[in-house]
Amino acid sequence: MLMDRVRSPKAGAIILFAGTTRDNFDGKAVKELQYTSYKPKALKTMLAICKAVSEKHSLTSIAMVHRLGIVPIAEESILIAVSSPHRQEAWKAGEEALEECKAKVEVWKMETFSGEDGIWRANKDGAAGCRVDQPGQKQESDLGLHSLSSPSGDATRPRPLVEKGHGPVVHRHANNP
């Protein structure tokens, strides 16, 4: 369990955030979400976020997991667990870690709506998406795939959407073994 990764006798609070797939977006019925990422870069970015948030808020520990592949309605796509000596720091750090993850981590999602084709979006709230009809279309900037472009300029996804997800990224404060 993710909370066990941040549990410590030095912590007076553990905050767990679970982001789930809701059944609607912008008035449309959502069928499912699918996530993909550029794993090596995404894991480095997640660890950097954990380190920065931990240091800024003097946390005991922080752990973050982002699921990849298909995420059905009501299931979790991201988990963030934070422990700290006091609850105020834990609340602030958990919110900041989530916002930093959504803004910076190299994860993209396809929203599939009932009766419609899916739309790829950057993994940000309300970020504009675009429809991808053909593999050769040059829509990298709309997808946020700049770092994943091939030399020919075609956007490519790193892997098929059957991935299980990133393992937990955990950062423990230096004073907490």
Side-chain angles (χ1 to χ4, degrees):
M1 187 168 165
L2 196 63
M3 286 179 50
D4 291 336
R5 294 183 179 267
V6 300
R7 194 173 312 277
S8 169
K10 296 179 186 203
I14 296 176
I15 302 299
L16 175 66
F17 172 80
T20 60
T21 301
R22 63 179 172 267
D23 65 359
N24 68 82
F25 178 79
D26 204 23
K28 297 179 184 179
V30 173
K31 178 182 170 189
E32 65 189 14
L33 298 180
Q34 296 180 22
Y35 292 89
T36 190
S37 77
Y38 180 57
K39 284 184 183 183
K41 184 77 169 133
L43 290 170
K44 286 180 186 177
T45 303
M46 290 168 72
L47 184 57
I49 290 168
C50 288
K51 286 180 179 179
V53 169
S54 182
E55 290 170 10
K56 179 178 178 181
H57 296 282
S58 301
L59 300 179
T60 306
S61 187
I62 180 171
M64 179 185 298
V65 178
H66 201 298
R67 189 169 163 186
L68 300 178
I70 295 173
V71 181
I73 302 299
E75 290 191 17
E76 297 81 14
S77 57
I78 186 168
L79 296 173
I80 298 173
V82 174
S83 64
S84 70
H86 304 284
R87 71 180 181 278
Q88 293 88 356
E89 291 83 7
W91 283 115
K92 291 175 190 173
E95 176 73 15
E96 185 175 324
L98 175 64
E99 295 306 322
E100 287 290 299
C101 179
K102 292 179 88 53
K104 296 178 179 176
V105 176
E106 295 78 1
V107 172
W108 301 273
K109 67 180 171 184
M110 179 186 279
E111 290 181 333
T112 304
F113 301 101
S114 296
E116 293 184 29
D117 292 334
I119 296 176
W120 280 104
R121 299 182 187 276
N123 193 23
K124 298 175 175 71
D125 290 330
C130 67
R131 186 172 159 184
V132 179
D133 291 320
Q134 299 173 6
Q137 283 185 303
K138 293 183 180 180
Q139 297 177 338
E140 299 93 339
S141 61
D142 292 334
L143 294 171
L145 293 175
H146 297 288
S147 63
L148 300 180
S149 297
S150 68
S152 66
D154 295 333
T156 58
R157 285 196 331 241
R159 294 192 173 248
L161 295 172
V162 294
E163 300 164 291
K164 297 294 184 196
H166 298 303
V169 174
V170 180
H171 177 72
R172 294 196 176 274
H173 193 273
N175 296 331
N176 185 34

